Amino acid sequence: MKNTRQFHRDRRSALALAMRGHTEGGLAIVPTAPEVARNRDTLYPFRPDSYFHYLSGFPEPEAAVVVIADGDGERHLLFCRDKDAERETWDGFRYGPDAAREIFGFDEAYAYPELDAKLRELAVDRPALYTPLGLFEAWDHRIVQLLNAVRAQVRTGVAAPDAVVDVRGILDDMRLVKDAHEIELMRRANAISSAAHRRAMARTRPGWREYQVEAELVHEFLRAGALAVAYPSIVASGPNACVLHYRENDREMSDGELLLIDAGCEYQGYAADITRTFPVGGRFTGPQKEIYELVLAAQHACLDAVKPGVDFHDYHKVADRVLAQGYLDLGLVTGTLDEVLETGTFRRFSLHRAGHWLGMDVHDAGLYQVKGVPQKLVPGMVLTVEPGTYIRPADDVPETWWSIGVRIEDDVLVTAGGHENLTAATPKSVADVEAACTR
């Protein structure tokens, strides 16, 4: 396998190629995320912007990637913080431009304070400027200042870029299909997250509060080297399982309830996203088991539908049909299957689609359809498969079903031969879940 530096360089070269095809070249500038204050004298833990990280792998704040594409070829530039012995004593190691250029595979590297002056030189007579638009307000202002600075030189015989293109359109298409390095990182993120879910199943007790289970998840993430969550963990017991984006995680759990956990780590910039639902006391009740097995049947049917060449929307339609038929069989909705699907009455209990793209972001970059035409699945795409059922108390719903919320979610890689379930190690069948909860 190529080294990490070469993977990032290949992505920058692919960007340069796309720029030459779109506007006969130009200048691309992609900044990292700004640091954000948490309180008066503390910053939130820094995370690089996903687009910047995709092109560079560089982990520090105050940085930007510049790619130049023209008839003479391409140049890759990095702007980053300079070495500073005093700041490194307080805040830790900095690469500095010289080391960063060599380690991360750039042609040139400069101190970040030189960015504006250097860009005023590099933007001259370029046909187009590619940069993220509307991502960071301060960056948008900086780009306007750059264009105006170049335009002010018009009397010297130079021109500013005629077009300003949101570079995310190109990068979203690139990010949609993962390369070998990305797939390796995602496998690791999912292995760690699967272990965390197994730990949660094994250790959860009636009488615990939801945050105690969350602590078990975080323990496993950190123990295995995943230093961040991919998103705030959902640890939702009893009626909270029917709140899709529940966040409080502070309720005391009781024997006989279900616990829905939607949690995944971020490993070296790549997300896992797993949901499992299991009984707090270790055994499903009859009604819980019926709903669980319905959602599981829908999930298996969805997985069977994930393969190259099919529309992205296809497995969502499969989930709808299985769940709607199940609600009819249980008496939760009435009518024929076609009527229930056409009117959407089943969506009272099935509140979301069956999945989304996954990668550096938990809801990852990439269009689901282009000009009204659904994306076709191709090898290298990664998506989630996560049908769910949520039954809130209501006068027209039998009490036996109240407060049952079940979601089952796996992370799936599309392969040449079909798909690979990256989270298959997470218990899912009724027997396996109950065995994992046995103490």
Side-chain angles (χ1 to χ4, degrees):
M1 182 178 289
K2 301 175 185 175
N3 61 39
T4 301
R5 182 176 82 168
Q6 190 60 48
F7 275 108
H8 290 102
R9 187 172 182 90
D10 288 348
R11 294 170 196 164
R12 297 193 297 271
S13 291
L15 171 59
L17 180 63
M19 291 161 59
R20 282 193 288 268
H22 188 58
T23 56
E24 298 183 354
L27 176 71
I29 317 164
V30 180
T32 195
E35 292 184 293
V36 178
R38 184 183 186 277
N39 55 30
R40 182 170 178 173
D41 60 356
T42 305
L43 299 172
Y44 281 103
F46 178 71
R47 183 190 186 276
D49 172 72
S50 294
Y51 294 101
F52 173 87
H53 184 73
Y54 180 77
L55 292 173
S56 70
F58 189 72
E60 295 179 8
E62 294 185 278
V65 167
V66 174
V67 176
I68 301 169
D70 55 28
D72 296 327
E74 62 192 53
R75 291 162 60 195
H76 303 188
L77 289 69
L78 176 69
F79 292 81
C80 63
R81 299 186 303 187
D82 217 339
K83 295 292 288 182
D84 185 325
E86 181 178 359
R87 291 316 313 166
E88 289 184 62
T89 298
W90 286 92
D91 302 325
F93 172 78
R94 296 181 177 191
Y95 283 96
D98 291 339
R101 181 186 65 251
E102 177 63 26
I103 293 170
F104 294 92
F106 284 86
D107 301 317
E108 305 166 39
Y110 301 92
Y112 191 70
E114 299 179 46
L115 178 64
D116 292 327
K118 195 71 176 175
L119 289 179
R120 285 194 292 272
E121 300 174 12
L122 297 174
V124 166
D125 292 333
R126 301 291 176 189
L129 174 63
Y130 291 78
T131 196
L133 300 173
L135 184 60
F136 305 120
E137 183 176 356
W139 182 256
D140 289 347
H141 180 66
R142 198 168 189 170
I143 291 299
V144 170
Q145 289 183 314
L146 167 64
L147 291 170
N148 286 337
V150 179
R151 289 169 183 148
Q153 304 175 56
V154 65
R155 292 185 180 180
T156 66
V158 303
D162 288 329
V164 180
V165 182
D166 193 331
V167 72
R168 290 176 295 178
I170 295 172
L171 295 179
D172 284 354
D173 286 344
M174 291 170 56
R175 286 175 57 184
L176 191 52
V177 178
K178 275 58 180 177
D179 60 34
H181 177 60
E182 293 178 287
I183 291 170
E184 179 183 5
L185 294 178
M186 294 192 73
R187 284 200 179 102
R188 181 59 181 155
N190 280 291
I192 295 169
S193 300
S194 291
H197 278 263
R198 295 195 302 271
R199 180 184 180 94
M201 291 179 185
R203 297 181 68 85
T204 296
R205 305 283 192 276
W208 274 25
R209 290 195 172 271
E210 293 160 341
Y211 56 70
Q212 292 176 272
V213 182
E214 183 179 11
E216 299 295 332
L217 297 166
V218 174
H219 170 96
E220 192 65 26
F221 294 162
L222 292 174
R223 187 194 68 80
L227 304 183
V229 294
Y231 52 95
S233 299
I234 297 170
V235 183
S237 64
N240 294 337
C242 295
V243 180
L244 269 63
H245 291 161
Y246 175 72
R247 289 287 188 266
E248 284 78 6
N249 295 356
D250 61 0
R251 181 178 177 275
E252 183 176 320
M253 301 176 293
S254 299
D255 195 0
E257 295 180 333
L258 292 178
L259 177 61
L260 185 156
I261 298 178
D262 187 338
C265 72
E266 180 176 282
Y267 182 75
Q268 295 188 22
Y270 285 81
D273 184 5
I274 305 173
T275 305
R276 289 294 186 268
T277 309
F278 61 90
V280 172
R283 291 290 182 269
F284 290 98
T285 67
Q288 291 170 352
K289 184 177 178 181
E290 286 188 271
I291 298 299
Y292 187 91
E293 289 187 325
L294 169 59
V295 175
L296 184 60
Q299 214 247 2
H300 281 309
C302 288
L303 287 170
D304 290 342
V306 175
K307 51 193 167 186
V310 305
D311 290 353
F312 171 82
H313 298 313
D314 283 1
Y315 78 100
H316 305 274
K317 297 175 183 177
V318 167
D320 288 348
R321 293 191 69 84
V322 175
L323 292 173
Q325 184 62 60
Y327 302 151
L328 282 166
D329 295 342
L330 295 172
L332 289 168
V333 296
T334 58
T336 67
L337 178 58
D338 287 342
E339 289 171 345
V340 168
L341 290 170
E342 184 177 353
T343 60
T345 54
F346 75 101
R347 294 208 177 277
R348 177 180 180 184
F349 308 110
S350 180
L351 303 175
H352 55 80
R353 304 199 72 203
H356 53 78
W357 303 130
L358 183 69
M360 301 188 76
D361 299 324
V362 69
H363 284 250
D364 205 35
L367 296 175
Y368 293 102
Q369 59 185 42
V370 180
K371 297 181 179 179
V373 179
Q375 286 273 18
K376 297 286 186 183
L377 299 185
V378 301
M381 290 178 170
V382 181
L383 48 83
T384 67
V385 178
E386 51 174 311
T389 293
Y390 315 90
I391 308 176
R392 302 172 71 90
D395 291 341
D396 60 343
V397 174
E399 192 171 348
T400 188
W401 307 114
W402 286 8
S403 299
I404 294 179
V406 175
R407 183 163 65 252
I408 304 170
E409 178 181 22
D410 284 312
D411 300 344
V412 178
L413 167 68
V414 181
T415 64
H419 68 264
E420 175 188 345
N421 187 344
L422 301 176
T423 49
T426 321
K428 185 165 64 175
S429 71
V430 168
D432 287 347
V433 168
E434 290 186 341
C437 295
T438 300
R439 293 173 286 277

